[in-house]
Structures are given as structure tokens and as C-alpha cells.
Amino acid sequence: MKELLDWAESLQCAVGAFSVGNMEMVMGAIRAAEETNTPIILQIAEKRLASSPLHLMAPMMIAAARRANVPVAVHLDHGLTVDCVRKALGYGFTSVMLDGSLLSYEENVAVTKQVVQMAFEAGATTEAELGVVGGNEGDTAEHVITCTDPEVAADFCRRTGVDALAVAIGNAHGNYPVLPELRFDVLEEIDRAVNVPLVLHGGTGITDEMFRTAIGLGVRKINIATASFDAYAAAAKECAGKGADWFALSAACAEAVYRNVIRHINVFSMK
Ligand code: 13P
């Protein structure tokens, strides 16, 4: 993933990190990447493994990435346990995130350092999170947003050696009830304080203009999950309403994810 983040830095754009939960989602995302000739990140969060088990998802995601005719990184999103990170690295994921954002600061530093070392030994990239992004990946419980403190971010990056940092600037996972007010002033300070690429979670519902502003202020990876899951579910419902068979349903769901991914790729490429 580090290579893709460096690529994004050189072009002053961002790499889309698209969450997937089954074969159609993987196929839709890869098709969008290939058609636009743009690298992407395929990712899955630890909490999603309850419905999309790692032992099935990992080989499929990695096979799709290897076969793609553009660079594709395979990433563990919101790893919650060191055990899951270890398993993902064992399958050949090229990057992992350990989300210690709800731990105490010192605990977050300690566990992130451990994961950075494990990932380094596997030749993989590490993402961590500081501050608290709203909502919750794969859970109904809401977290109160706590913006990332730029000075603390600098200390965190120095002490952990992490490759990419997920920031909290008013962003949240899931659909926003109202348009979020992202703290671009805080983002600018974080970008000045740290020397690693920044990651924006909670991409669903953020406007194209906000994406462009965030990219202009150092965001190099943007996560999109809910928009793809919602597009998939809407396509499935439409097919069910028409009495479509499985083959038509599978194609329509892959197509819905493809359209969502391509839409975001076009914005993130800053062309
Ligand atoms: P959304 O579900 O809001 O797109 O957030 C995705 C994300 O940040 C996954 O980590």
C-alpha cells in the first residue's frame, strides 16, 4: 500500500480504498480500477468478517489483486486484535490497520508499535488511527467524534513508525444524518505536523468538493464502504422486485458497486 500512497503523493491525488464483502463487490471494484487504469485498495474490516469470513475473502481478494492489470493493495481495515492482523498478514495482505483509537494513548502507541513490527517483517504497510472517527464500522453504537490533536499526532507517528495515519476531523462511518462540517483547519495542522500520508475514513456522503479540499491538504487514502453496500442492496432489491434470477442479480450487484467505485475514483484522481 505504501507504493500506492507514494504514487498518490507524487500526483497530489488520493487512492480509493473500497470495502468489499463478497465476490460481486470485488469484481465491481476491480473492473472500475482497470477501466480507469487507476490503482485501488481492496479492504475489509475485522467486524465484517462475521458475515464475510477471512479464510474465504482473503484468497479471493488477493487473487483478484494479483490478476488485475493495475496495482491493487489488499488491506485489513479496522483491525481490532493483533491476532486478526497476524492472520491477514499470513494470507498475504499488503497492508493492515490496527484501530487503537478507543484505547488509551499509551496503549494505542504500544499496540501500533507491535503491529508496525509485524507488518514490517511481512513486507506490509501499517495504518493507525488517532482521535475518534464517528459512527462505528460494522456496529450500531455511535462514537462521539474527537478530533485528532496535531501535536499528539506528531508524537504518535514518531514513536510508532506507522506508515499512514487515519485522522478524525469531524468525519464518521455510515450515512451522515446532515452534511458533516469537516475541520480542514485541523487537517492542515496535522499535515504540517506529521510526515506520513493521511487517511480519511467515513467517505460515504462527503461531497466531491470536500474530497478535493481534503486531498489538497494531504489526504492520500479515502475509505468508501457504506455507499458500495447501499448501492449493492438497492440493486438487489430492484432485481428481487422484478423477479430476476440469480445470474441477473449477481451481474446487477457487481455493476452497482462498479458504478459507485468509478464515481469515487474519478473524484479522487483530481483530474
Ligand atoms: P463509510 O462507510 O462512511 O464509507 O466509511 C468507510 C470507512 O471509513 C471504512 O473504514
Side-chain angles (χ1 to χ4, degrees):
M1 184 169 86
K2 195 175 179 310
E3 282 167 36
L4 300 194
L5 299 176
D6 289 344
W7 166 83
E9 176 67 27
S10 72
L11 293 180
Q12 298 288 292
C13 67
V15 191
F18 298 99
S19 299
V20 291
N22 70 3
M23 183 186 74
E24 284 78 3
M25 296 190 82
V26 170
M27 288 168 68
I30 295 283
R31 182 181 151 208
E34 289 186 332
E35 274 187 23
T36 54
N37 197 24
T38 307
I40 60 164
I41 298 162
L42 284 182
Q43 63 181 16
I44 188 161
E46 182 168 347
K47 280 212 170 134
R48 301 289 184 205
L49 301 178
S51 50
S52 309
L54 189 64
H55 71 279
L56 299 177
M57 290 302 296
M60 178 168 60
M61 291 164 75
I62 290 164
R66 287 221 173 100
R67 212 189 152 117
N69 60 22
V70 288
V72 176
V74 178
H75 176 69
L76 177 70
D77 187 30
H78 291 283
L80 299 171
T81 59
V82 170
D83 186 49
C84 187
V85 168
R86 187 176 293 114
K87 283 191 183 126
L89 291 171
Y91 278 112
F93 275 39
T94 52
S95 57
V96 286
M97 173 191 193
L98 191 288
D99 179 358
S101 63
L102 295 177
L103 303 172
S104 74
Y105 180 63
E106 287 304 326
E107 283 170 334
N108 193 358
V109 169
V111 76
T112 301
K113 270 173 87 166
Q114 190 184 347
V115 165
V116 166
Q117 183 59 33
M118 280 167 58
F120 176 77
E121 283 164 17
T125 306
T126 306
E127 173 183 338
E129 180 173 318
L130 201 57
V132 182
V133 172
N136 194 352
E137 177 64 58
D139 200 323
T140 49
E142 289 289 311
H143 296 141
V144 176
I145 297 171
T146 311
C147 272
T148 308
D149 180 316
E151 273 180 37
V152 179
D155 180 70
F156 184 82
C157 291
R158 206 169 31 243
R159 286 172 64 190
T160 60
V162 75
D163 301 296
L165 183 69
V167 296
I169 54 164
N171 45 324
H173 295 112
N175 288 305
Y176 293 94
V178 290
L179 194 62
E181 283 186 28
L182 297 185
R183 290 287 307 271
F184 291 121
D185 55 330
V186 176
L187 181 61
E188 195 169 2
E189 278 184 52
I190 299 168
D191 189 42
R192 238 183 269 135
V194 308
N195 58 2
V196 300
L198 303 179
V199 182
L200 185 67
H201 282 239
T204 299
I206 289 180
T207 65
D208 294 357
E209 198 187 330
M210 285 169 146
F211 281 135
R212 289 195 195 97
T213 306
I215 294 166
L217 295 172
V219 165
R220 297 288 165 252
K221 170 177 181 272
I222 301 179
N223 288 9
I224 302 289
T226 305
S228 287
F229 289 116
D230 285 356
Y232 187 114
K237 276 183 209 143
E238 201 189 322
C239 281
K242 290 185 195 152
D245 64 12
W246 180 84
F247 301 99
L249 181 113
S250 171
C253 291
E255 172 81 19
V257 173
Y258 156 78
R259 273 196 250 115
N260 179 56
V261 171
I262 215 162
R263 183 188 106 56
H264 286 96
I265 283 177
N266 286 333
V267 178
F268 300 164
S269 69
M270 297 289 274
K271 279 179 194 148

